Amino acid sequence: MNAKEIIARRVAKELKDGDVINLGIGLPTMVANYIPEDIDVLFQSENGFVGLGPAPEIGHEDKDLVNAGGQPVTAVLGAAFFDSAVSFGIIRGGHVSATVLGALQVDEKGNLANWMVPGKMVPGMGGAMDLVVGAKKVIISMTHTAKGKSKILKKCTLPLTAAGQVNMIVTEMGVMEVTDAGIVLTEMNPEFSVEDIKKVTEAELIIADDLKKMEI
Amino acid sequence: MNAKEIIARRVAKELKDGDVINLGIGLPTMVANYIPEDIDVLFQSENGFVGLGPAPEIGHEDKDLVNAGGQPVTAVLGAAFFDSAVSFGIIRGGHVSATVLGALQVDEKGNLANWMVPGKMVPGMGGAMDLVVGAKKVIISMTHTAKGKSKILKKCTLPLTAAGQVNMIVTEMGVMEVTDAGIVLTEMNPEFSVEDIKKVTEAELIIADDLKKMEI
Amino acid sequence: MNKIVTLEMAMEHIKDGMTVMIGGFMACGTPEKFMDALVEKGVKDLTVIANDAGFPDRGIGKLVVNKQVKRLVTSHVGLNPEVGKQMNTGEIDCELIPQGTLAERIRAGGNGLGGILTPTGVGTIVEEGKQKIELDGKVYLLEKPLRADIALVGATISDKKGNLYYNKATRNFNPLIATAADLVIIGAEKIVEVGEIDGNDVMTPALFVDYIVEV
Amino acid sequence: MNKIVTLEMAMEHIKDGMTVMIGGFMACGTPEKFMDALVEKGVKDLTVIANDAGFPDRGIGKLVVNKQVKRLVTSHVGLNPEVGKQMNTGEIDCELIPQGTLAERIRAGGNGLGGILTPTGVGTIVEEGKQKIELDGKVYLLEKPLRADIALVGATISDKKGNLYYNKATRNFNPLIATAADLVIIGAEKIVEVGEIDGNDVMTPALFVDYIVEV
């Protein structure tokens, strides 16, 4: 199982029956593949609907039905469409149970940077700032390091997406919760040791008293 | 022709092809009866639709279709229904060409009082405050006096509905425009003299150089 | 998740002293069966947020007549003389709000906004106690969000998941209050299978809905 | 009043230097024929307000590639690398706004609000130059309304008076911009008789619409 699959499988276990979930593009999108069959989860697509389904078969694309990345998707039975003000009313108003997003950097205060690298990449924040502020739970799903460098920092150096909003970080190495005391490692992938993880994490890691094996 | 009919007929002449009009309850509602046949006017009902039609025949009431007074009405072909936020977005956003309302008092600054008499009548402002602030043109349609007392004052004494928003006043005696200089009598019902009108108007009346006969 | 419950089960959530938003405009679109059930249940000291006070024998008016409402936040009480009487005796506390402002404040409460700036009410007693903000030469009132413990929504059709459709003038405040309460209970005239309301025509997405009662 | 015009007649209203809102989300729901016509017409120095910059060969992106946009007010430009290039050369001025804030600012512009308070962007560079307001212990940014000279709206169906219906994800910013411009031009895939869109299902009432082009 590769790192991304480990992460997506673990994040999927966070979702509960009746949840409304917004998945970011890239790795977070993979979470949809691992939802337990016995629960009913609705995916919200910030471009204007709830009830996002999988990609259509080739030749069955509907030009009027795309996701927030502009890619053809399908809608499940019971989907509902709305305009962008309603869509972000749902997001900002706390009606999304959780948003799963990637990150460039996260820090001990729950700050998140995932929308620009000054002078290099300025794609715009799209809906990310609203999602991170508005969703009831913010789950960051990302590989633990980028080119060997830690992405979990004492303090973000890139421009923030939002201050103090991250609740949970899931990487291929483990699961971390952001608390008032700092970042707590609550689950660990048994392929790694605590020392392995600390070595590639710039932030101070608090090890949970009841540190568990990461369920995947 | 009684006073109310004179007023309603004259107000109807202010309306233009393509206008979106909100009529208050009571006298203003009568305006709908006198719209010229060659123009297309849509009536907005602040409880949530545009395309208000006349009252239904007895026995043909639709419980789901009432006006802002809770009375059964009909909808014209091409009517559109919406929620109260959209309804007042239309009103506050300047998308209503004119609102026609009654008044307890109007004054030289274009102030309007029509929603409460302290200690006596406190029905609530309903949509009146938004209508008067938001509509492109505010036309007050009312009998010139109440129990012999002037309703067109130097300064309103009752709690205001809105400050400085009235554009035009139509009574059975004439038509007045509210300008920066004060209230200008622009048309007069030939049954009255300028002196007759001045006598029952507490506000200073400026007489238009081209004072016309009131068209009804 | 089954959201369909009986009238009795739904009404159990409403307790003395709660803040309840109720949909409808002069009783059109108000879930009337919920009003009757609340009268029967006798729950009291309610704060009711709604467009108007209905009529004495119809809509929200029934709760007022039965003296179950301690505080009423509304735009219009003129068609229910009982409110005026109870205001005079001090039995009811009534806060009057311009209708458009009431709609926006509820929308703000449901949409995570900290407030909105409106020109409505400037220069009137509505501005008392409110922050005034001048922007680009125009003065606005800062109006704060409204939320409730419970929203009682009247819908024409609900599907089994809670996607809602309102007929004609019954829509009014119903979709707004459905966003702005901790618990949202629907009184639907008809419950249909999921998919029977086209996704384009859904006026309140099911994600806002907690319980559905066929009334 | 006949609102139905030809593409050429509609495009005559768009002049150099104007502010134009354009509907659509990554080109889905964007009136594509209007984009092509504007490229052909060569109108320049536009300020464009839209969710995103589309793709280089689709949607709003075409106007950027053809260097007709002086200023872009948007939430996302990541799928159109041409914007980044023109930002570096100073040919385009790009203001990035969180998507939900952009939607609310346009809605405020069309609904007569002086602004809205949002928690989005607090503690980020988005707050630079903006008034911060603390209410009940929470900090918000005061975001001001946006309006335009022209709105170019993509609709699936318009009736002959301009009542509009948007299919699925094409709705996005279209109903919002239809409220917030001095002149509103609709590119409709299909024009039907008045009454063919049920009044309950109208998503933009005709009163907002000035011109309709069948595209």
Side-chain angles (χ1 to χ4, degrees):
Chain A
M1 208 183 299
N2 69 24
K4 288 184 178 179
E5 188 178 335
I6 292 170
I7 297 165
R9 279 183 184 274
R10 178 58 188 84
V11 171
K13 291 209 192 312
E14 283 300 304
L15 311 185
K16 293 183 298 293
D17 191 35
D19 273 358
V20 177
I21 306 292
N22 185 294
L23 301 177
I25 44 178
L27 198 167
T29 306
M30 290 173 58
V31 172
N33 302 330
Y34 304 109
I35 308 296
E37 294 218 342
D38 58 337
I39 69 169
D40 195 1
V41 169
L42 269 179
F43 292 102
Q44 200 254 12
S45 194
E46 67 262 33
N47 55 318
F49 61 108
V50 62
L52 179 70
E57 285 175 52
I58 291 172
H60 288 76
E61 296 88 354
D62 177 344
K63 72 171 176 50
D64 292 346
L65 190 49
V66 302
N67 64 15
Q71 297 306 309
V73 290
T74 55
V76 303
L77 190 72
F81 298 92
F82 31 74
D83 69 40
S84 293
V86 173
S87 187
F88 282 88
I90 289 170
I91 290 167
R92 202 190 307 97
H95 307 287
V96 168
S97 321
T99 183
V100 184
L101 291 164
L104 298 168
Q105 300 177 337
V106 193
D107 73 20
E108 294 177 359
K109 300 284 184 204
N111 295 327
L112 168 67
N114 76 347
W115 76 280
M116 73 175 286
V117 181
K120 266 177 96 172
M121 181 198 79
V122 191
M125 65 292 279
M129 287 190 177
D130 299 281
L131 276 161
V132 174
V133 166
K136 279 194 201 130
K137 187 169 182 174
V138 176
I139 304 173
I140 300 303
S141 67
M142 60 177 191
T143 53
H144 205 94
T145 57
K147 296 172 187 164
K149 285 174 71 176
S150 177
K151 295 157 79 176
I152 304 173
L153 308 178
K154 287 188 191 306
K155 195 169 187 320
C156 289
T157 57
L158 291 171
L160 297 188
T161 306
Q165 297 288 346
V166 175
N167 302 105
M168 177 179 262
I169 306 163
V170 179
T171 76
E172 75 281 16
M173 300 184 99
V175 178
M176 285 143 279
E177 283 179 23
V178 180
T179 72
D180 289 345
I183 296 174
V184 181
L185 182 72
T186 57
E187 295 178 26
M188 197 174 67
N189 180 339
E191 289 181 31
F192 301 96
S193 71
V194 169
E195 283 317 303
D196 289 337
I197 302 177
K198 281 193 167 177
K199 211 182 297 173
V200 292
T201 308
E202 189 209 279
E204 200 72 51
L205 266 194
I206 303 167
I207 311 303
D209 290 341
D210 59 342
L211 178 66
K212 294 191 190 69
K213 178 172 167 290
M214 189 176 177
E215 288 180 65
I216 46 178
Chain B
M1 206 182 299
N2 69 24
K4 288 185 178 176
E5 187 178 337
I6 292 170
I7 297 165
R9 280 183 185 273
R10 179 57 189 84
V11 171
K13 292 213 194 309
E14 282 301 302
L15 312 185
K16 293 183 299 295
D17 190 35
D19 272 359
V20 177
I21 305 293
N22 186 293
L23 300 177
I25 44 177
L27 198 167
T29 306
M30 291 173 58
V31 173
N33 302 330
Y34 303 110
I35 307 298
E37 293 218 341
D38 58 335
I39 69 169
D40 196 1
V41 169
L42 269 179
F43 292 103
Q44 201 252 11
S45 194
E46 68 263 34
N47 56 317
F49 60 109
V50 63
L52 179 69
E57 286 174 50
I58 291 172
H60 288 76
E61 296 87 355
D62 177 344
K63 73 171 175 50
D64 292 347
L65 188 50
V66 301
N67 64 15
Q71 297 307 308
V73 290
T74 55
V76 303
L77 190 72
F81 297 92
F82 31 75
D83 70 40
S84 294
V86 172
S87 187
F88 281 88
I90 289 170
I91 290 167
R92 203 190 307 98
H95 306 287
V96 169
S97 320
T99 183
V100 184
L101 291 165
L104 297 168
Q105 300 176 337
V106 194
D107 74 18
E108 295 178 359
K109 301 284 184 207
N111 295 328
L112 168 67
N114 76 348
W115 78 280
M116 74 175 284
V117 181
K120 266 177 95 172
M121 181 199 79
V122 191
M125 65 293 279
M129 287 193 177
D130 299 281
L131 276 161
V132 175
V133 166
K136 280 192 200 132
K137 186 168 182 174
V138 176
I139 303 174
I140 299 304
S141 67
M142 62 177 191
T143 53
H144 205 94
T145 57
K147 296 174 188 163
K149 286 176 72 179
S150 178
K151 294 157 82 176
I152 304 174
L153 309 179
K154 288 190 191 306
K155 196 169 186 316
C156 290
T157 57
L158 292 171
L160 297 187
T161 307
Q165 297 288 346
V166 175
N167 301 106
M168 179 180 261
I169 306 163
V170 179
T171 76
E172 75 282 15
M173 301 186 98
V175 178
M176 286 141 279
E177 282 180 23
V178 181
T179 71
D180 289 346
I183 296 175
V184 181
L185 181 73
T186 57
E187 295 177 28
M188 198 174 67
N189 181 340
E191 290 183 32
F192 301 95
S193 70
V194 168
E195 284 317 301
D196 289 339
I197 302 177
K198 282 193 167 174
K199 211 181 300 174
V200 293
T201 308
E202 188 208 281
E204 200 72 52
L205 266 195
I206 303 167
I207 312 301
D209 291 340
D210 59 341
L211 178 64
K212 293 191 193 70
K213 178 172 167 291
M214 189 175 178
E215 289 180 64
I216 46 177
Chain C
M1 286 210 318
N2 177 32
K3 296 179 180 178
I4 302 172
V5 298
T6 64
L7 182 60
E8 291 67 32
M9 284 162 75
M11 292 303 111
E12 271 175 26
H13 296 277
I14 302 160
K15 317 255 190 231
D16 291 354
M18 274 189 166
T19 297
V20 183
M21 287 181 178
I22 304 175
F25 193 113
M26 300 299 172
C28 176
T30 300
E32 198 68 36
K33 287 260 176 67
F34 289 0
M35 301 302 99
D36 294 334
L38 288 177
V39 166
E40 191 172 328
K41 191 176 151 81
V43 59
K44 57 184 194 295
D45 294 333
L46 297 176
T47 291
V48 169
I49 302 175
N51 176 64
D52 57 77
F55 303 95
D57 61 346
R58 208 145 57 84
I60 293 155
K62 290 174 179 170
L63 302 180
V64 175
V65 169
N66 202 34
K67 303 198 174 171
Q68 297 176 268
V69 183
K70 183 185 60 179
R71 191 170 138 71
L72 185 59
V73 179
T74 188
S75 79
H76 199 266
V77 300
L79 299 181
N80 188 348
E82 181 67 19
V83 178
K85 279 187 217 160
Q86 293 187 19
M87 281 166 77
N88 289 336
T89 58
E91 287 169 287
I92 201 167
D93 171 25
C94 185
E95 183 184 349
L96 291 168
I97 298 178
Q99 202 166 112
T101 300
L102 182 62
E104 282 298 316
R105 289 181 65 185
I106 295 170
R107 180 182 181 275
N111 285 244
L113 299 176
I116 56 106
L117 304 185
T118 178
T120 302
V122 171
T124 77
I125 59 174
V126 167
E127 72 176 39
E128 282 171 17
K130 285 174 188 157
Q131 197 174 339
K132 280 205 256 187
I133 293 185
E134 190 176 332
L135 285 179
D136 307 320
K138 223 180 146 182
V139 179
Y140 300 95
L141 302 186
L142 195 169
E143 295 279 4
K144 292 195 201 174
L146 284 172
R147 286 191 58 88
D149 298 309
I150 307 268
L152 299 178
V153 173
T156 309
I157 309 174
S158 173
D159 74 20
K160 288 185 170 172
K161 299 250 186 204
N163 286 308
L164 307 183
Y165 186 86
Y166 310 96
N167 188 38
K168 297 180 185 166
T170 65
R171 198 174 331 181
N172 55 70
F173 279 75
N174 280 307
L176 302 173
I177 66 170
T179 69
D182 295 342
L183 193 84
V184 177
I185 306 175
I186 311 305
E189 294 184 3
K190 193 175 160 189
I191 298 179
V192 299
E193 294 298 325
V194 176
E196 285 193 50
I197 306 173
D198 186 284
N200 285 323
D201 301 334
V202 169
M203 296 167 186
T204 292
L207 65 91
F208 290 109
V209 172
D210 295 297
Y211 295 112
I212 310 159
V213 180
E214 193 158 25
V215 292
Chain D
M1 288 209 318
N2 177 31
K3 296 179 178 177
I4 302 173
V5 297
T6 64
L7 181 60
E8 292 67 31
M9 283 161 74
M11 293 301 112
E12 271 173 26
H13 296 278
I14 302 160
K15 318 258 190 229
D16 291 355
M18 275 188 165
T19 296
V20 184
M21 288 180 177
I22 304 175
F25 194 113
M26 300 298 174
C28 177
T30 299
E32 197 70 34
K33 287 260 175 67
F34 289 179
M35 300 302 100
D36 294 334
L38 288 177
V39 165
E40 191 173 327
K41 190 176 151 82
V43 59
K44 58 185 193 297
D45 294 332
L46 297 175
T47 292
V48 170
I49 302 175
N51 177 64
D52 57 76
F55 303 94
D57 61 345
R58 209 145 56 83
I60 293 155
K62 289 173 179 172
L63 303 180
V64 176
V65 168
N66 202 34
K67 303 198 174 172
Q68 297 175 267
V69 183
K70 183 185 64 179
R71 190 170 139 73
L72 186 60
V73 178
T74 189
S75 79
H76 199 264
V77 299
L79 299 182
N80 187 347
E82 182 67 18
V83 177
K85 278 187 218 159
Q86 291 186 21
M87 282 166 75
N88 289 337
T89 58
E91 287 169 288
I92 201 166
D93 171 24
C94 186
E95 183 184 349
L96 291 168
I97 298 179
Q99 204 166 110
T101 300
L102 182 62
E104 282 299 315
R105 289 181 64 184
I106 295 170
R107 181 181 180 275
N111 285 246
L113 299 176
I116 56 107
L117 303 184
T118 178
T120 303
V122 171
T124 77
I125 59 173
V126 167
E127 72 175 39
E128 284 171 18
K130 284 175 190 157
Q131 196 174 338
K132 281 205 254 187
I133 293 185
E134 190 175 332
L135 286 179
D136 307 319
K138 218 177 152 186
V139 179
Y140 300 94
L141 302 186
L142 195 170
E143 294 278 5
K144 291 195 203 176
L146 284 173
R147 286 191 59 89
D149 298 308
I150 308 267
L152 299 177
V153 173
T156 308
I157 308 175
S158 173
D159 73 21
K160 287 183 172 176
K161 300 252 186 202
N163 285 310
L164 306 183
Y165 186 87
Y166 311 96
N167 187 39
K168 296 178 183 168
T170 65
R171 195 171 337 179
N172 55 69
F173 279 74
N174 280 306
L176 302 173
I177 66 169
T179 69
D182 295 341
L183 194 85
V184 176
I185 306 175
I186 311 306
E189 294 184 3
K190 193 173 159 190
I191 298 179
V192 300
E193 294 299 326
V194 175
E196 285 193 51
I197 306 174
D198 187 284
N200 285 324
D201 301 334
V202 169
M203 296 169 186
T204 292
L207 66 92
F208 289 110
V209 172
D210 296 295
Y211 296 112
I212 310 158
V213 180
E214 194 158 26
V215 294

